[in-house]
Amino acid sequence: MTHIVLLHGYPLDESAFAGVADLVDPSHTVHAVDLAGFGAAPWPSDGDLSMSAQADHVFRQMDGLGVDAAVVVGLSMGGYVALAMAERQPDRVRALGLVGSKPDADSDEGKAGRDNQAETVVEQGAGVLVAPMSAALLSEDASLSVRARLRTMIERTRAETYVSALEGMRDRPDRGDVVASFDGPIGILVGTSDPIVSPDRAHEVAASAQDAFVVVLDGVGHLVPMEAPAATAEFINDLAQRV
Ligand code: MLT
Protein backbone atom coordinates (compact mmCIF):
# COMPACT_ATOMS: atom_id res chain seq x y z
CA MET A 1 0.00 0.00 0.00
CA THR A 2 1.30 3.45 -0.90
CA HIS A 3 0.70 6.41 1.39
CA ILE A 4 0.12 9.72 -0.34
CA VAL A 5 0.54 12.97 1.57
CA LEU A 6 -1.08 16.05 0.06
CA LEU A 7 0.19 19.50 1.07
CA HIS A 8 -1.90 22.55 0.30
CA GLY A 9 -0.75 25.97 -0.88
CA TYR A 10 -0.96 29.45 0.61
CA PRO A 11 -3.29 30.72 2.07
CA LEU A 12 -5.31 27.54 1.86
CA ASP A 13 -5.88 24.38 3.88
CA GLU A 14 -6.33 20.69 3.24
CA SER A 15 -9.74 21.31 1.67
CA ALA A 16 -7.94 22.63 -1.42
CA PHE A 17 -7.75 18.91 -2.30
CA ALA A 18 -11.46 18.23 -1.74
CA GLY A 19 -12.66 16.08 -4.61
CA VAL A 20 -9.16 14.79 -5.38
CA ALA A 21 -8.71 12.05 -2.77
CA ASP A 22 -11.90 10.25 -3.82
CA LEU A 23 -10.55 9.91 -7.33
CA VAL A 24 -7.17 8.52 -6.33
CA ASP A 25 -6.69 4.78 -6.83
CA PRO A 26 -8.31 3.17 -3.74
CA SER A 27 -5.28 0.92 -3.25
CA HIS A 28 -3.47 4.05 -1.97
CA THR A 29 -4.09 5.78 1.34
CA VAL A 30 -4.40 9.54 1.00
CA HIS A 31 -3.58 11.98 3.82
CA ALA A 32 -4.43 15.61 3.06
CA VAL A 33 -2.88 17.52 5.96
CA ASP A 34 -3.20 21.07 7.25
CA LEU A 35 0.17 22.79 7.40
CA ALA A 36 1.05 24.37 10.77
CA GLY A 37 -1.01 27.49 11.43
CA PHE A 38 -3.43 26.76 8.56
CA GLY A 39 -6.92 25.24 8.62
CA ALA A 40 -7.51 23.24 11.78
CA ALA A 41 -3.80 22.88 12.62
CA PRO A 42 -2.83 24.72 15.79
CA TRP A 43 -0.53 27.70 15.84
CA PRO A 44 2.97 26.37 16.60
CA SER A 45 4.41 27.52 19.92
CA ASP A 46 7.52 28.94 18.22
CA GLY A 47 5.45 30.71 15.52
CA ASP A 48 7.81 29.31 12.88
CA LEU A 49 6.07 28.64 9.56
CA SER A 50 9.26 28.39 7.51
CA MET A 51 9.32 25.66 4.88
CA SER A 52 11.74 23.61 7.00
CA ALA A 53 9.56 23.96 10.11
CA GLN A 54 6.54 22.93 8.03
CA ALA A 55 8.50 19.91 6.75
CA ASP A 56 9.13 18.82 10.34
CA HIS A 57 5.46 19.44 11.15
CA VAL A 58 4.46 17.07 8.31
CA PHE A 59 6.96 14.44 9.44
CA ARG A 60 5.42 14.61 12.92
CA GLN A 61 1.97 14.14 11.38
CA MET A 62 3.29 11.14 9.44
CA ASP A 63 4.73 9.75 12.69
CA GLY A 64 1.32 10.13 14.32
CA LEU A 65 -0.31 8.26 11.44
CA GLY A 66 2.33 5.52 11.54
CA VAL A 67 3.50 6.45 8.06
CA ASP A 68 7.20 5.89 7.56
CA ALA A 69 7.48 7.06 3.94
CA ALA A 70 5.05 8.52 1.42
CA VAL A 71 4.56 9.96 -2.02
CA VAL A 72 4.48 13.68 -1.17
CA VAL A 73 2.49 15.97 -3.45
CA GLY A 74 2.54 19.71 -2.77
CA LEU A 75 0.54 22.50 -4.31
CA SER A 76 2.67 25.63 -4.67
CA MET A 77 3.79 26.45 -1.09
CA GLY A 78 3.06 22.79 -0.32
CA GLY A 79 5.61 21.96 -3.02
CA TYR A 80 8.19 24.19 -1.30
CA VAL A 81 7.49 22.18 1.87
CA ALA A 82 7.73 18.86 -0.02
CA LEU A 83 11.17 19.91 -1.29
CA ALA A 84 12.24 20.79 2.26
CA MET A 85 11.07 17.32 3.33
CA ALA A 86 13.12 15.69 0.57
CA GLU A 87 16.11 17.73 1.73
CA ARG A 88 15.75 16.86 5.41
CA GLN A 89 14.69 13.20 5.32
CA PRO A 90 14.89 11.92 1.72
CA ASP A 91 14.25 8.34 2.80
CA ARG A 92 10.74 9.30 3.90
CA VAL A 93 9.82 10.78 0.50
CA ARG A 94 9.22 8.04 -2.05
CA ALA A 95 8.21 10.37 -4.86
CA LEU A 96 7.78 14.13 -5.19
CA GLY A 97 4.81 15.80 -6.82
CA LEU A 98 5.12 19.52 -7.53
CA VAL A 99 1.79 21.07 -8.49
CA GLY A 100 2.10 24.69 -9.63
CA SER A 101 5.38 24.70 -7.76
CA LYS A 102 9.10 25.06 -8.42
CA PRO A 103 12.36 24.90 -6.47
CA ASP A 104 13.36 28.53 -7.10
CA ALA A 105 13.91 31.08 -4.32
CA ASP A 106 12.04 34.40 -4.49
CA SER A 107 13.53 37.22 -6.57
CA ASP A 108 14.25 40.52 -4.79
CA GLU A 109 11.01 41.86 -6.22
CA GLY A 110 9.16 38.78 -5.00
CA LYS A 111 10.62 39.21 -1.50
CA ALA A 112 9.48 42.84 -1.39
CA GLY A 113 6.01 41.69 -2.52
CA ARG A 114 5.86 39.27 0.46
CA ASP A 115 6.57 42.13 2.88
CA ASN A 116 3.97 44.36 1.23
CA GLN A 117 1.35 41.63 1.43
CA ALA A 118 2.07 40.99 5.12
CA GLU A 119 1.71 44.71 5.85
CA THR A 120 -1.55 44.87 3.89
CA VAL A 121 -3.07 41.97 5.83
CA VAL A 122 -2.05 43.41 9.19
CA GLU A 123 -3.35 46.88 8.34
CA GLN A 124 -6.46 46.08 6.30
CA GLY A 125 -7.36 42.44 6.98
CA ALA A 126 -7.19 39.45 4.65
CA GLY A 127 -10.47 40.30 2.92
CA VAL A 128 -8.68 42.77 0.66
CA LEU A 129 -6.71 39.86 -0.83
CA VAL A 130 -9.80 38.07 -2.15
CA ALA A 131 -10.16 39.97 -5.42
CA PRO A 132 -6.47 40.17 -6.42
CA MET A 133 -5.73 36.60 -5.37
CA SER A 134 -8.74 35.18 -7.16
CA ALA A 135 -7.71 37.03 -10.30
CA ALA A 136 -4.11 35.86 -10.03
CA LEU A 137 -4.53 32.27 -8.87
CA LEU A 138 -7.62 31.11 -10.76
CA SER A 139 -8.25 30.97 -14.49
CA GLU A 140 -11.06 32.98 -16.01
CA ASP A 141 -13.01 29.73 -16.36
CA ALA A 142 -12.93 28.82 -12.65
CA SER A 143 -16.43 28.08 -11.38
CA LEU A 144 -18.31 30.18 -8.83
CA SER A 145 -18.03 27.40 -6.28
CA VAL A 146 -14.24 27.25 -6.65
CA ARG A 147 -14.12 31.05 -6.26
CA ALA A 148 -16.29 30.81 -3.14
CA ARG A 149 -14.04 28.11 -1.65
CA LEU A 150 -10.98 30.26 -2.25
CA ARG A 151 -12.66 33.30 -0.66
CA THR A 152 -13.56 31.27 2.44
CA MET A 153 -10.01 30.02 2.86
CA ILE A 154 -8.46 33.46 2.37
CA GLU A 155 -10.84 35.04 4.88
CA ARG A 156 -10.45 32.43 7.61
CA THR A 157 -6.65 32.33 7.59
CA ARG A 158 -5.27 34.16 10.62
CA ALA A 159 -3.23 37.35 10.24
CA GLU A 160 -0.29 35.82 12.11
CA THR A 161 -0.33 32.88 9.71
CA TYR A 162 -0.10 35.26 6.75
CA VAL A 163 2.81 37.12 8.30
CA SER A 164 4.83 34.07 9.27
CA ALA A 165 4.10 32.06 6.10
CA LEU A 166 5.04 35.04 3.91
CA GLU A 167 8.29 35.36 5.85
CA GLY A 168 8.90 31.63 5.40
CA MET A 169 8.34 31.76 1.65
CA ARG A 170 10.38 34.95 1.32
CA ASP A 171 13.37 33.40 3.07
CA ARG A 172 13.27 29.92 1.55
CA PRO A 173 16.45 28.95 -0.26
CA ASP A 174 16.65 27.75 -3.83
CA ARG A 175 16.19 23.97 -3.70
CA GLY A 176 17.30 23.15 -7.24
CA ASP A 177 19.96 20.92 -5.67
CA VAL A 178 17.21 18.89 -3.99
CA VAL A 179 15.51 18.30 -7.35
CA ALA A 180 18.82 17.28 -8.93
CA SER A 181 19.82 14.87 -6.17
CA PHE A 182 16.42 13.33 -5.44
CA ASP A 183 16.61 9.70 -6.56
CA GLY A 184 12.89 8.90 -6.74
CA PRO A 185 10.40 9.96 -9.38
CA ILE A 186 9.34 13.60 -9.62
CA GLY A 187 6.10 14.70 -11.28
CA ILE A 188 5.33 18.32 -12.14
CA LEU A 189 1.76 19.41 -12.86
CA VAL A 190 1.09 22.90 -14.16
CA GLY A 191 -1.71 24.84 -15.81
CA THR A 192 -1.11 27.08 -18.80
CA SER A 193 -2.87 29.97 -17.00
CA ASP A 194 -0.56 29.80 -13.96
CA PRO A 195 1.31 33.12 -13.53
CA ILE A 196 3.73 31.61 -10.98
CA VAL A 197 5.06 28.52 -12.79
CA SER A 198 5.12 28.40 -16.59
CA PRO A 199 5.11 25.15 -18.53
CA ASP A 200 8.57 26.10 -19.85
CA ARG A 201 9.94 26.43 -16.32
CA ALA A 202 8.32 23.11 -15.38
CA HIS A 203 10.12 21.42 -18.28
CA GLU A 204 13.45 23.02 -17.30
CA VAL A 205 13.05 21.79 -13.71
CA ALA A 206 12.18 18.31 -14.96
CA ALA A 207 15.26 18.29 -17.20
CA SER A 208 17.44 18.97 -14.14
CA ALA A 209 16.05 15.93 -12.30
CA GLN A 210 17.12 12.29 -12.53
CA ASP A 211 13.66 10.94 -13.29
CA ALA A 212 10.85 13.41 -13.92
CA PHE A 213 7.76 13.97 -16.00
CA VAL A 214 5.59 17.00 -16.66
CA VAL A 215 1.85 17.26 -17.20
CA VAL A 216 0.49 20.53 -18.61
CA LEU A 217 -3.22 21.36 -18.34
CA ASP A 218 -4.58 23.73 -20.92
CA GLY A 219 -6.46 26.75 -19.57
CA VAL A 220 -6.06 25.80 -15.90
CA GLY A 221 -4.78 28.36 -13.36
CA HIS A 222 -2.39 28.11 -10.41
CA LEU A 223 -4.72 26.26 -8.02
CA VAL A 224 -4.83 23.10 -10.11
CA PRO A 225 -6.46 20.71 -7.58
CA MET A 226 -9.35 23.13 -7.11
CA GLU A 227 -9.91 23.74 -10.81
CA ALA A 228 -9.04 20.29 -12.12
CA PRO A 229 -9.48 17.66 -9.38
CA ALA A 230 -9.82 14.72 -11.76
CA ALA A 231 -6.65 15.59 -13.67
CA THR A 232 -4.85 16.08 -10.35
CA ALA A 233 -5.92 12.62 -9.19
CA GLU A 234 -4.76 11.12 -12.48
CA PHE A 235 -1.38 12.83 -12.04
CA ILE A 236 -1.10 11.45 -8.48
CA ASN A 237 -1.98 7.94 -9.67
CA ASP A 238 0.65 8.17 -12.39
CA LEU A 239 3.28 9.38 -9.93
CA ALA A 240 2.44 6.71 -7.33
CA GLN A 241 2.64 4.00 -9.97
CA ARG A 242 6.30 4.88 -10.55
CA VAL A 243 7.52 4.12 -7.01
C1 MLT B 1 0.70 29.29 -3.17
O1 MLT B 1 -0.26 29.07 -3.93
O2 MLT B 1 1.02 28.50 -2.28
C2 MLT B 1 1.47 30.58 -3.33
O3 MLT B 1 1.00 31.27 -4.44
C3 MLT B 1 2.93 30.34 -3.43
C4 MLT B 1 3.74 31.57 -3.59
O4 MLT B 1 3.22 32.67 -3.40
O5 MLT B 1 4.94 31.46 -3.90
Side-chain angles (χ1 to χ4, degrees):
M1 188 227 303
T2 303
H3 289 278
I4 299 179
V5 170
L6 303 180
L7 305 177
H8 60 82
Y10 158 95
L12 312 176
D13 57 51
E14 56 86 21
S15 72
F17 289 99
V20 173
D22 285 351
L23 300 172
V24 170
D25 184 330
S27 67
H28 306 316
T29 303
V30 179
H31 312 276
V33 305
D34 279 327
L35 291 170
F38 291 86
W43 178 252
S45 52
D46 59 5
D48 184 357
L49 302 189
S50 64
M51 303 305 105
S52 303
Q54 292 286 18
D56 290 343
H57 167 77
V58 179
F59 284 131
R60 281 192 296 276
Q61 298 223 26
M62 286 169 61
D63 292 342
L65 293 163
V67 175
D68 189 40
V71 171
V72 181
V73 177
L75 164 62
S76 198
M77 182 184 72
Y80 310 156
V81 175
L83 286 163
M85 291 173 69
E87 179 179 67
R88 291 165 94 71
Q89 296 196 54
D91 292 350
R92 301 192 71 180
V93 180
R94 298 183 67 194
L96 260 178
L98 301 177
V99 181
S101 196
K102 57 187 177 184
D104 315 342
D106 277 359
S107 63
D108 288 345
E109 193 188 347
K111 288 179 198 287
R114 304 285 189 200
D115 292 341
N116 284 339
Q117 193 169 99
E119 247 175 70
T120 302
V121 171
V122 169
E123 285 167 12
Q124 300 174 49
V128 295
L129 299 182
V130 171
M133 273 197 172
S134 302
L137 304 182
L138 296 173
S139 74
E140 285 179 359
D141 296 335
S143 69
L144 279 179
S145 86
V146 164
R147 290 175 188 282
R149 283 170 58 205
L150 177 59
R151 167 187 284 269
T152 302
M153 287 189 270
I154 291 172
E155 289 179 344
R156 74 179 171 210
T157 298
R158 295 169 263 209
E160 59 266 41
T161 294
Y162 278 98
V163 172
S164 190
L166 283 162
E167 230 172 70
M169 289 192 286
R170 179 195 67 195
D171 297 340
R172 74 191 193 282
D174 183 295
R175 289 198 163 91
D177 56 333
V178 177
V179 168
S181 63
F182 187 68
D183 64 3
I186 298 180
I188 305 177
L189 176 64
V190 65
T192 56
S193 298
D194 185 340
I196 296 178
V197 184
S198 68
D200 283 352
R201 183 67 193 128
H203 283 289
E204 282 167 8
V205 172
S208 71
Q210 295 173 30
D211 172 18
F213 67 99
V214 178
V215 176
V216 177
L217 300 177
D218 205 26
V220 173
H222 181 61
L223 302 181
V224 181
M226 294 176 66
E227 284 196 45
T232 303
E234 202 180 314
F235 164 81
I236 292 168
N237 288 333
D238 188 1
L239 181 62
Q241 212 172 22
R242 297 170 190 241
V243 298

